[in-house]
Amino acid sequence: EQYRYLENMGDGNHMIIRNNAIRHTSWDAQEGVLTSWYGQLDPAVQAMVQPVANSFTTGEVYHASVNFTGGANWIPDNLEGAVAADLTQVAPGGTARAFALSLADVTRLSGPGLAFPNPAQRGSVALGWWWLRTSASSMQAWHVSTIGNLIGSLGRMHSATLGGVRPALILHQARN
């Protein structure tokens, strides 16, 4: 299975994410990788992709400032401001494209009965760790570790064989 279903967003829209991270991608390089990956999708798939914001206002939050519930680094419970508001949605007038999930997206999609019901569903060595689009500082960014934890202390220039970026899409499937 190449993609993982994340959620039914209503109106025939569904959010999906690539199963495996595109390896050797730094946080700073992820936009270019997302654009290139999207450009290689089959035109029939691209035709189903819904527009999202042309740019995301992600905010920034230090790892040490975040409180977690349900275990170590599992679900943040004190996100505020731009970080909390950075939820991906269809944006008329936006751009049909691939995107990285935000810290707020992963928080909203994590827990019992959701896309990521437990840490193992969020991360594994086979899937690779993966960047979020949320910054932790001018030098660090958030990622999902290979054990499914949210970590906001990896250097934004870090690029490795064990992880990278996991493109997500919002698709519209017409009703029959």
Side-chain angles (χ1 to χ4, degrees):
E1 177 174 298
Q2 191 172 359
Y3 300 97
R4 178 183 179 91
Y5 178 83
L6 295 179
E7 96 177 301
N8 179 344
M9 303 180 77
D11 297 334
N13 294 322
H14 304 274
M15 188 183 295
I16 64 170
I17 192 168
R18 186 177 192 263
N19 254 351
N20 297 309
I22 298 171
R23 313 298 170 113
H24 295 287
T25 303
S26 71
W27 188 85
D28 289 337
Q30 76 176 325
E31 275 304 317
V33 171
L34 290 166
T35 300
S36 174
W37 178 85
Y38 180 79
Q40 295 171 28
L41 290 176
D42 185 281
V45 174
Q46 287 182 358
M48 292 188 289
V49 175
Q50 295 301 290
V52 296
N54 292 317
S55 63
F56 297 103
T57 303
T58 62
E60 183 175 284
V61 62
Y62 293 106
H63 183 100
S65 300
V66 176
N67 297 326
F68 295 91
T69 59
N73 300 343
W74 174 233
I75 299 176
D77 66 7
N78 66 330
L79 300 181
E80 299 176 337
V83 173
D86 185 20
L87 295 167
T88 309
Q89 57 190 345
V90 173
T95 303
R97 64 186 180 104
F99 54 90
L101 295 179
S102 69
L103 182 58
D105 285 331
V106 173
T107 299
R108 182 177 56 82
L109 295 167
S110 297
L114 300 173
F116 303 119
N118 56 56
Q121 295 298 311
R122 247 183 4 202
S124 71
V125 172
L127 296 175
W129 60 265
W130 43 289
W131 292 112
L132 302 179
R133 67 173 178 253
T134 309
S135 177
S137 72
S138 63
M139 301 295 289
Q140 298 173 322
W142 285 87
H143 75 285
V144 174
S145 75
T146 56
I147 60 170
N149 287 343
L150 293 168
I151 310 289
S153 57
L154 193 58
R156 289 163 51 154
M157 298 290 288
H158 185 77
S159 176
T161 59
L162 294 179
V165 63
R166 250 177 114 181
L169 300 167
I170 297 175
L171 301 178
H172 183 79
Q173 292 181 306
R175 294 187 178 136
N176 293 338

